[in-house]
């Protein structure tokens, strides 16, 4: 029997080095006694790592699937004493069954995943419930903060990189009973020894409590859900925790008081806005049946929720008698701000292709299948989000009106969204590209890719090939228009 004593404080490397040596020497899990220093019977506890066996040169090299490494790195952070036995057993079995981790019903696999899930949840709670308190004075011009947290497992070193990324501009220490992490602006350090809670206070605690109480809505209180996301074991280190019992106890009475409260008048600025709107000169309506009148009507479009987030309606532009109409997907970030189609990065790629193909942009009516910018806010950026079927269907009304007024001989759909909006076809674009279809009114429809696709192709030969192919499509479109106008 080989006894392996480990510190067992979330350091993956100490288990990995020992397990690798034992497995390479062909020592089965039944012959290894994994122990954690400081636990169990101290009479038999070993303090130092013994000499590890030499590997069996005739044995095949050890291999594990990548999924095992991420699983093991999480499991070693658990406080379960049997975790090292479990991981070594999995390592041993993986040498003869590489697909072992795909067996959800295997007891060892299920246990390991449960332990890993607990560790990940503990790390997530740490990111949510660490409360920094400022330490008086600065060091090298940087403010200093301290936080005390009590995780269930050894997640401090594993979670510390999150705080380095979030609070890189200040020095901080996060102390826990399972170790301490610190950041000084250059190095992220970790000490496995148990930390101590000095009971440090912070003048901003009262401000935080005031804010927390002001945003509490008693009408939306769901006690079980709140305690599931904010377990009571974390409360004692949260400055707002002492408010929670009182807010829960008074929630029902506060809801009744809110219901009995009479409706308030709108704020004064509401009346000022109404007066200003009524005082504005009336604009005479544009002549019906013109593209300008349709554009003006589209400014107030509320057919789908997209208008709530977009800056404005981005309508089509170009000659009303243009024989060629080109339809994209939806305005992008820069189009949304400028109020014009194809003026952002995609527009530059598009303009270059038109120029190379010998087609003048001002001779084409350009528009989009969807008139409002759909996006997902991500920090300060607005990330493009593809419109869904309902949003395309709502906006098809405007697109059909544009086609009726422009009466083009040829319509080019740029991308799958435009093709669906114009024809209802939902086949893969590769199957439809370059094939002419007939729309209502004997208008010819020519599908091709959206120019934004070219921005997503990695640099190299493939990108140059796709650009040349798109230019060839535009050149073919120009020839089609010339033939249609000659008829």
């Amino acid at each position: 029997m080989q006894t392996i004593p480990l510190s067992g404080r979330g350091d993956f490397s100490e288990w990995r080095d020992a397990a690798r040596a034992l497995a390479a020497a062909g020592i089965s899990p039944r012959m290894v006694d994994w122990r954690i220093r400081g636990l169990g019977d101290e009479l038999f506890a070993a303090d130092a790592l013994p000499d590890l066996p030499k590997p069996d040169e005739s044995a095949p090299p050890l291999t594990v699937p990548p999924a095992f490494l991420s699983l093991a790195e999480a499991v070693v952070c658990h406080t379960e004493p049997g975790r090292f036995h479990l991981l070594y057993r999995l390592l041993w079995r993986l040498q003869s069954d590489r697909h072992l981790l795909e067996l959800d019903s295997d007891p060892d696999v299920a246990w390991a995943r449960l332990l890993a899930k607990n560790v990940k949840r503990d790390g997530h709670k740490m990111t949510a419930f660490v409360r920094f308190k400022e330490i008086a004075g600065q060091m090298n011009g940087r403010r200093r903060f301290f936080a005390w947290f009590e995780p269930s497992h050894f997640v401090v070193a594993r979670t510390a990189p999150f705080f380095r990324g979030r609070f890189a501009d200040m020095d901080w220490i996060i102390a826990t009973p399972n170790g301490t992490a610190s950041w000084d602006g250059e190095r992220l350090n970790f000490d496995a020894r148990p930390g101590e809670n000095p009971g440090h206070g912070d003048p901003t605690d009262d401000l935080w409590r005031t804010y927390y109480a002001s945003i509490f809505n008693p009408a939306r209180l769901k006690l079980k859900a709140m305690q599931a996301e904010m377990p009571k074991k974390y409360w004692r280190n949260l400055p707002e925790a002492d408010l929670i019992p009182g807010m829960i106890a008074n929630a029902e009475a506060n809801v009744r008081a809110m219901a009995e409260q009479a409706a308030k008048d709108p704020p004064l600025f509401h009346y000022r806005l109404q007066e200003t709107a009524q005082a504005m000169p009336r604009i005479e309506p544009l002549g019906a049946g013109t593209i300008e009148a349709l554009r003006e009507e589209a400014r107030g479009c509320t057919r789908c929720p997209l208008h709530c987030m977009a800056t404005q309606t981005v309508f089509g532009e170009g000659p009303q008698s243009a024989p060629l109409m080109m339809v994209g997907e939806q305005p992008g970030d820069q189009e949304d701000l400028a109020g014009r189609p194809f003026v952002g990065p995609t527009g530059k790629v598009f303009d270059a292709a038109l120029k190379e193909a010998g087609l003048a942009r001002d001779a084409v009516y350009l528009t989009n299948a969807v008139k409002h910018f759909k996006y997902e806010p991500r920090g300060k950026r607005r990330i493009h989000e593809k419109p869904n079927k309902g949003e395309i269907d709502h906006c098809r009304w405007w697109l059909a009106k544009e086609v009726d007024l422009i009466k083009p001989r040829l319509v080019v759909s740029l991308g799958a969204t435009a093709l669906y909006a114009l024809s209802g076809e939902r086949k893969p674009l590769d199957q439809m590209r370059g094939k002419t279809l007939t729309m209502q009114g004997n208008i010819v429809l020519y599908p091709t890719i959206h120019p934004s696709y070219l921005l997503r192709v990695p640099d190299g030969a493939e990108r140059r090939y796709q650009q040349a192919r798109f230019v060839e499509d535009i050149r073919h479109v120009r020839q089609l228009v010339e033939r249609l106008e000659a008829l």
Side-chain angles (χ1 to χ4, degrees):
M1 179 67 70
Q2 179 82 51
T3 299
I4 305 296
L6 300 177
S7 298
R9 304 191 68 81
D11 184 359
F12 175 68
S13 62
E14 65 168 354
W15 173 84
R16 180 196 58 201
D17 295 344
R20 181 184 291 163
L22 294 168
I27 300 178
S28 87
R30 288 178 297 178
M31 299 303 295
V32 181
D33 180 15
W34 296 93
R35 295 201 178 189
I36 301 174
R37 297 189 185 104
L39 290 183
D41 190 345
E42 295 295 336
L43 180 63
F44 298 102
D47 292 329
L49 193 65
D51 292 337
L52 296 172
K54 294 182 179 179
D56 183 355
E57 300 293 342
S58 61
L62 294 174
T63 60
V64 294
F68 176 72
L69 293 178
S70 59
L71 178 68
E73 287 172 352
V75 170
V76 295
C77 295
H78 204 283
T79 51
E80 164 60 44
R83 60 192 183 280
F84 300 120
H85 296 272
L86 169 66
L87 288 177
Y88 187 62
R89 198 159 56 240
L90 283 172
L91 174 65
W92 184 265
R93 295 176 61 194
L94 281 168
Q95 304 313 305
S96 57
D97 182 2
R98 189 171 177 81
H99 300 287
L100 172 63
L101 297 183
E102 299 172 11
L103 299 176
D104 295 336
S105 59
D106 185 272
D108 285 345
V109 174
W111 188 21
R113 286 184 177 165
L114 178 61
L115 298 185
K117 182 179 179 181
N118 291 340
V119 168
K120 292 176 181 176
R121 177 178 172 80
D122 204 35
H124 172 71
K125 295 301 180 188
M126 183 174 173
T127 62
F129 297 129
V130 161
R131 297 287 186 268
F132 284 108
K133 300 176 186 299
E134 185 164 10
I135 303 171
Q138 297 186 356
M139 183 71 71
N140 299 324
R142 290 167 61 87
R143 297 170 67 187
R144 299 180 300 158
F145 292 80
F146 177 87
W148 172 254
F149 186 69
E150 298 178 25
S152 300
H153 307 291
F154 301 102
V155 297
V156 183
R158 179 183 175 86
T159 315
F162 166 83
F163 294 95
R164 176 185 57 189
R166 180 66 64 88
F167 304 107
D169 61 340
M170 65 188 201
D171 292 353
W172 51 258
I173 298 172
I174 302 176
T176 81
N178 297 332
T180 300
S182 62
W183 167 250
D184 61 5
E186 296 181 356
R187 293 179 301 277
L188 182 62
N189 301 310
F190 175 69
D191 187 338
R193 292 174 296 182
E196 294 183 0
N197 180 12
H200 182 67
D202 191 308
T204 61
D205 283 353
D206 289 339
L207 178 63
W208 170 248
R209 279 192 283 268
T210 301
Y211 169 74
Y212 187 83
S214 67
I215 64 172
F216 177 75
N217 184 350
R220 301 184 67 180
L221 175 63
K222 294 181 180 178
L223 194 56
K224 290 184 178 178
M226 185 188 78
Q227 292 186 0
E229 294 299 321
M230 189 176 179
K232 281 190 172 181
K233 67 178 183 179
Y234 299 117
W235 286 20
R236 60 176 174 269
N237 294 314
L238 300 177
E240 69 269 25
D242 56 347
L243 300 175
I244 296 176
M247 291 192 296
I248 294 174
N250 298 325
E252 187 174 346
N254 289 336
V255 170
R256 282 200 304 272
M258 290 167 62
E260 293 170 357
Q261 189 176 27
K264 295 181 179 178
D265 292 332
L268 293 177
F269 74 85
H270 169 80
Y271 296 105
R272 292 198 298 270
L273 288 175
Q274 293 295 316
E275 291 174 359
T276 302
Q278 293 178 4
M280 292 180 66
R282 291 184 175 275
I283 301 175
E284 292 299 325
L286 298 168
T290 65
I291 201 69
E292 291 303 325
L294 191 64
R295 178 183 291 109
E296 193 62 31
E297 187 180 353
R299 290 185 196 280
C301 177
T302 57
R303 285 175 167 266
C304 74
L306 292 185
H307 74 279
C308 299
M309 296 181 67
T311 304
Q312 57 188 315
T313 301
V314 180
F315 207 68
E317 67 176 21
Q320 183 161 343
S321 59
L324 174 59
M325 172 186 283
M326 303 183 86
V327 183
E329 182 189 78
Q330 66 159 339
D333 182 74
Q334 294 190 29
E335 285 84 2
D336 171 72
L337 298 174
R340 295 183 57 207
F342 292 95
V343 295
T346 300
K348 293 178 181 176
V349 173
F350 180 63
D351 288 345
L354 290 180
K355 183 177 181 181
E356 190 172 350
L359 191 60
R361 173 173 170 139
D362 56 7
V364 182
Y365 184 86
L366 297 174
T367 189
N368 283 301
V370 174
K371 311 302 183 190
H372 284 122
F373 180 34
K374 182 178 182 180
Y375 63 91
E376 176 189 347
R378 194 174 300 169
K380 294 181 178 179
R381 301 180 60 197
R382 302 191 298 175
I383 306 301
H384 167 274
E385 192 173 354
K386 196 176 184 65
N388 60 36
K389 179 177 179 297
E391 290 154 356
I392 297 171
D393 290 341
H394 280 302
C395 238
R396 185 181 284 122
W397 189 87
W398 294 109
L399 183 59
K401 288 286 185 185
E402 287 179 289
V403 173
D404 287 344
L405 290 172
I406 301 297
K407 295 181 174 56
R409 304 297 302 272
L410 177 64
V411 176
V412 176
S413 62
L414 301 168
T417 298
L419 177 61
Y420 170 69
L422 289 162
S423 67
E425 290 285 354
R426 307 202 71 174
K427 296 180 181 177
L429 189 58
D430 284 346
Q431 297 181 12
M432 305 297 294
R433 182 175 184 178
K435 296 180 180 178
T436 53
L437 307 172
T438 303
M439 296 172 55
Q440 188 176 4
N442 290 325
I443 299 173
V444 177
L445 174 62
Y446 183 91
T448 186
I449 62 166
H450 194 280
S452 63
Y453 167 72
L454 302 175
L455 296 173
R456 300 193 295 271
V457 178
D459 289 337
E462 177 63 17
R463 184 173 186 177
R464 290 190 292 274
Y465 167 73
Q466 293 295 343
Q467 287 176 334
R469 194 178 171 197
F470 182 61
V471 170
E472 188 59 32
D473 282 351
I474 302 298
R475 193 173 287 124
H476 188 203
V477 165
R478 179 174 59 81
Q479 295 167 353
L480 272 177
V481 173
E482 292 172 354
R483 285 204 296 268
L484 289 170
E485 287 195 300
L487 292 177

mmCIF file of all heavy atoms in Angstrom, residues 48-71:
data_model
loop_
_atom_site.group_PDB
_atom_site.id
_atom_site.type_symbol
_atom_site.label_atom_id
_atom_site.label_comp_id
_atom_site.label_asym_id
_atom_site.label_seq_id
_atom_site.Cartn_x
_atom_site.Cartn_y
_atom_site.Cartn_z
ATOM 1 N N ALA A 48 5.143 14.325 4.914
ATOM 2 C CA ALA A 48 5.952 14.603 3.727
ATOM 3 C C ALA A 48 5.597 13.619 2.617
ATOM 4 O O ALA A 48 5.229 12.470 2.883
ATOM 5 C CB ALA A 48 7.432 14.487 4.066
ATOM 6 N N LEU A 49 5.707 14.108 1.407
ATOM 7 C CA LEU A 49 5.420 13.252 0.250
ATOM 8 C C LEU A 49 6.539 12.233 0.103
ATOM 9 O O LEU A 49 7.715 12.609 0.012
ATOM 10 C CB LEU A 49 5.318 14.109 -1.010
ATOM 11 C CG LEU A 49 4.726 13.444 -2.249
ATOM 12 C CD1 LEU A 49 3.264 13.088 -2.010
ATOM 13 C CD2 LEU A 49 4.843 14.374 -3.447
ATOM 14 N N PRO A 50 6.227 10.931 0.105
ATOM 15 C CA PRO A 50 7.286 9.926 -0.005
ATOM 16 C C PRO A 50 7.852 9.896 -1.411
ATOM 17 O O PRO A 50 7.321 10.513 -2.343
ATOM 18 C CB PRO A 50 6.542 8.628 0.328
ATOM 19 C CG PRO A 50 5.145 8.895 -0.106
ATOM 20 C CD PRO A 50 4.890 10.344 0.147
ATOM 21 N N ASP A 51 8.933 9.170 -1.547
ATOM 22 C CA ASP A 51 9.500 9.004 -2.881
ATOM 23 C C ASP A 51 8.492 8.284 -3.772
ATOM 24 O O ASP A 51 7.961 7.221 -3.406
ATOM 25 C CB ASP A 51 10.793 8.184 -2.800
ATOM 26 C CG ASP A 51 11.881 8.979 -2.092
ATOM 27 O OD1 ASP A 51 11.787 10.225 -2.087
ATOM 28 O OD2 ASP A 51 12.801 8.353 -1.537
ATOM 29 N N LEU A 52 8.231 8.875 -4.901
ATOM 30 C CA LEU A 52 7.252 8.286 -5.813
ATOM 31 C C LEU A 52 7.910 7.195 -6.639
ATOM 32 O O LEU A 52 9.122 7.247 -6.917
ATOM 33 C CB LEU A 52 6.677 9.373 -6.731
ATOM 34 C CG LEU A 52 5.875 10.451 -5.996
ATOM 35 C CD1 LEU A 52 5.512 11.589 -6.929
ATOM 36 C CD2 LEU A 52 4.609 9.850 -5.396
ATOM 37 N N PRO A 53 7.136 6.170 -7.025
ATOM 38 C CA PRO A 53 7.728 5.047 -7.772
ATOM 39 C C PRO A 53 8.198 5.482 -9.148
ATOM 40 O O PRO A 53 7.707 6.452 -9.722
ATOM 41 C CB PRO A 53 6.568 4.053 -7.863
ATOM 42 C CG PRO A 53 5.347 4.894 -7.720
ATOM 43 C CD PRO A 53 5.709 6.015 -6.797
ATOM 44 N N LYS A 54 9.157 4.734 -9.681
ATOM 45 C CA LYS A 54 9.642 5.015 -11.019
ATOM 46 C C LYS A 54 8.669 4.453 -12.045
ATOM 47 O O LYS A 54 8.054 3.402 -11.813
ATOM 48 C CB LYS A 54 11.026 4.399 -11.212
ATOM 49 C CG LYS A 54 12.079 5.042 -10.314
ATOM 50 C CD LYS A 54 13.447 4.435 -10.578
ATOM 51 C CE LYS A 54 14.493 5.118 -9.689
ATOM 52 N NZ LYS A 54 15.852 4.550 -9.898
ATOM 53 N N PRO A 55 8.493 5.118 -13.174
ATOM 54 C CA PRO A 55 7.515 4.649 -14.171
ATOM 55 C C PRO A 55 7.961 3.338 -14.813
ATOM 56 O O PRO A 55 9.146 3.036 -14.901
ATOM 57 C CB PRO A 55 7.488 5.786 -15.189
ATOM 58 C CG PRO A 55 8.784 6.491 -15.004
ATOM 59 C CD PRO A 55 9.158 6.352 -13.568
ATOM 60 N N ASP A 56 6.973 2.570 -15.246
ATOM 61 C CA ASP A 56 7.218 1.331 -15.974
ATOM 62 C C ASP A 56 7.523 1.680 -17.431
ATOM 63 O O ASP A 56 6.653 2.161 -18.159
ATOM 64 C CB ASP A 56 5.959 0.450 -15.874
ATOM 65 C CG ASP A 56 6.179 -0.896 -16.567
ATOM 66 O OD1 ASP A 56 7.237 -1.078 -17.186
ATOM 67 O OD2 ASP A 56 5.256 -1.736 -16.492
ATOM 68 N N GLU A 57 8.764 1.506 -17.854
ATOM 69 C CA GLU A 57 9.192 1.911 -19.192
ATOM 70 C C GLU A 57 8.452 1.151 -20.283
ATOM 71 O O GLU A 57 8.297 1.643 -21.399
ATOM 72 C CB GLU A 57 10.697 1.707 -19.351
ATOM 73 C CG GLU A 57 11.545 2.487 -18.365
ATOM 74 C CD GLU A 57 11.451 3.994 -18.611
ATOM 75 O OE1 GLU A 57 11.022 4.383 -19.717
ATOM 76 O OE2 GLU A 57 11.804 4.772 -17.700
ATOM 77 N N SER A 58 7.991 -0.062 -19.959
ATOM 78 C CA SER A 58 7.325 -0.865 -20.989
ATOM 79 C C SER A 58 5.848 -0.524 -21.140
ATOM 80 O O SER A 58 5.206 -0.959 -22.084
ATOM 81 C CB SER A 58 7.454 -2.360 -20.641
ATOM 82 O OG SER A 58 6.823 -2.629 -19.394
ATOM 83 N N ALA A 59 5.313 0.278 -20.199
ATOM 84 C CA ALA A 59 3.875 0.608 -20.260
ATOM 85 C C ALA A 59 3.626 1.711 -21.269
ATOM 86 O O ALA A 59 4.494 2.568 -21.499
ATOM 87 C CB ALA A 59 3.398 1.034 -18.872
ATOM 88 N N PRO A 60 2.441 1.724 -21.910
ATOM 89 C CA PRO A 60 2.118 2.814 -22.848
ATOM 90 C C PRO A 60 1.980 4.144 -22.113
ATOM 91 O O PRO A 60 1.687 4.162 -20.911
ATOM 92 C CB PRO A 60 0.777 2.359 -23.445
ATOM 93 C CG PRO A 60 0.199 1.439 -22.435
ATOM 94 C CD PRO A 60 1.354 0.744 -21.780
ATOM 95 N N PRO A 61 2.224 5.275 -22.803
ATOM 96 C CA PRO A 61 2.123 6.586 -22.129
ATOM 97 C C PRO A 61 0.695 6.871 -21.669
ATOM 98 O O PRO A 61 -0.271 6.422 -22.278
ATOM 99 C CB PRO A 61 2.577 7.567 -23.225
ATOM 100 C CG PRO A 61 2.349 6.838 -24.507
ATOM 101 C CD PRO A 61 2.574 5.386 -24.224
ATOM 102 N N LEU A 62 0.619 7.647 -20.582
ATOM 103 C CA LEU A 62 -0.700 8.008 -20.047
ATOM 104 C C LEU A 62 -1.358 9.041 -20.942
ATOM 105 O O LEU A 62 -0.712 10.002 -21.373
ATOM 106 C CB LEU A 62 -0.554 8.585 -18.641
ATOM 107 C CG LEU A 62 -0.060 7.645 -17.536
ATOM 108 C CD1 LEU A 62 0.145 8.440 -16.262
ATOM 109 C CD2 LEU A 62 -1.068 6.528 -17.312
ATOM 110 N N THR A 63 -2.635 8.856 -21.209
ATOM 111 C CA THR A 63 -3.407 9.850 -21.967
ATOM 112 C C THR A 63 -4.776 9.979 -21.338
ATOM 113 O O THR A 63 -5.342 9.003 -20.834
ATOM 114 C CB THR A 63 -3.570 9.448 -23.437
ATOM 115 O OG1 THR A 63 -4.253 8.189 -23.504
ATOM 116 C CG2 THR A 63 -2.234 9.334 -24.148
ATOM 117 N N VAL A 64 -5.306 11.193 -21.356
ATOM 118 C CA VAL A 64 -6.676 11.446 -20.876
ATOM 119 C C VAL A 64 -7.337 12.427 -21.832
ATOM 120 O O VAL A 64 -6.655 13.254 -22.454
ATOM 121 C CB VAL A 64 -6.693 12.034 -19.446
ATOM 122 C CG1 VAL A 64 -6.179 11.028 -18.441
ATOM 123 C CG2 VAL A 64 -5.891 13.327 -19.387
ATOM 124 N N PRO A 65 -8.644 12.385 -21.974
ATOM 125 C CA PRO A 65 -9.323 13.382 -22.801
ATOM 126 C C PRO A 65 -9.275 14.758 -22.131
ATOM 127 O O PRO A 65 -9.180 14.850 -20.901
ATOM 128 C CB PRO A 65 -10.768 12.848 -22.882
ATOM 129 C CG PRO A 65 -10.907 11.937 -21.719
ATOM 130 C CD PRO A 65 -9.555 11.366 -21.438
ATOM 131 N N PRO A 66 -9.298 15.842 -22.924
ATOM 132 C CA PRO A 66 -9.240 17.190 -22.325
ATOM 133 C C PRO A 66 -10.324 17.438 -21.283
ATOM 134 O O PRO A 66 -10.111 18.190 -20.332
ATOM 135 C CB PRO A 66 -9.416 18.106 -23.545
ATOM 136 C CG PRO A 66 -8.970 17.278 -24.718
ATOM 137 C CD PRO A 66 -9.343 15.874 -24.393
ATOM 138 N N ALA A 67 -11.484 16.802 -21.443
ATOM 139 C CA ALA A 67 -12.578 17.035 -20.496
ATOM 140 C C ALA A 67 -12.202 16.576 -19.093
ATOM 141 O O ALA A 67 -12.698 17.124 -18.099
ATOM 142 C CB ALA A 67 -13.837 16.316 -20.972
ATOM 143 N N PHE A 68 -11.325 15.573 -19.000
ATOM 144 C CA PHE A 68 -10.944 15.086 -17.671
ATOM 145 C C PHE A 68 -10.139 16.142 -16.912
ATOM 146 O O PHE A 68 -10.292 16.305 -15.698
ATOM 147 C CB PHE A 68 -10.135 13.801 -17.793
ATOM 148 C CG PHE A 68 -9.628 13.300 -16.463
ATOM 149 C CD1 PHE A 68 -10.495 12.733 -15.535
ATOM 150 C CD2 PHE A 68 -8.286 13.436 -16.125
ATOM 151 C CE1 PHE A 68 -10.031 12.290 -14.301
ATOM 152 C CE2 PHE A 68 -7.819 13.003 -14.896
ATOM 153 C CZ PHE A 68 -8.694 12.425 -13.979
ATOM 154 N N LEU A 69 -9.279 16.866 -17.615
ATOM 155 C CA LEU A 69 -8.445 17.860 -16.938
ATOM 156 C C LEU A 69 -9.306 18.969 -16.318
ATOM 157 O O LEU A 69 -9.109 19.348 -15.166
ATOM 158 C CB LEU A 69 -7.446 18.461 -17.930
ATOM 159 C CG LEU A 69 -6.385 17.487 -18.454
ATOM 160 C CD1 LEU A 69 -5.490 18.180 -19.460
ATOM 161 C CD2 LEU A 69 -5.566 16.922 -17.301
ATOM 162 N N SER A 70 -10.261 19.479 -17.080
ATOM 163 C CA SER A 70 -11.114 20.541 -16.525
ATOM 164 C C SER A 70 -11.973 20.001 -15.386
ATOM 165 O O SER A 70 -12.225 20.703 -14.395
ATOM 166 C CB SER A 70 -11.996 21.140 -17.622
ATOM 167 O OG SER A 70 -12.820 20.155 -18.203
ATOM 168 N N LEU A 71 -12.410 18.746 -15.505
ATOM 169 C CA LEU A 71 -13.194 18.134 -14.432
ATOM 170 C C LEU A 71 -12.341 17.965 -13.174
ATOM 171 O O LEU A 71 -12.772 18.313 -12.064
ATOM 172 C CB LEU A 71 -13.734 16.785 -14.915
ATOM 173 C CG LEU A 71 -14.555 15.970 -13.899
ATOM 174 C CD1 LEU A 71 -15.878 16.676 -13.624
ATOM 175 C CD2 LEU A 71 -14.809 14.554 -14.422
#
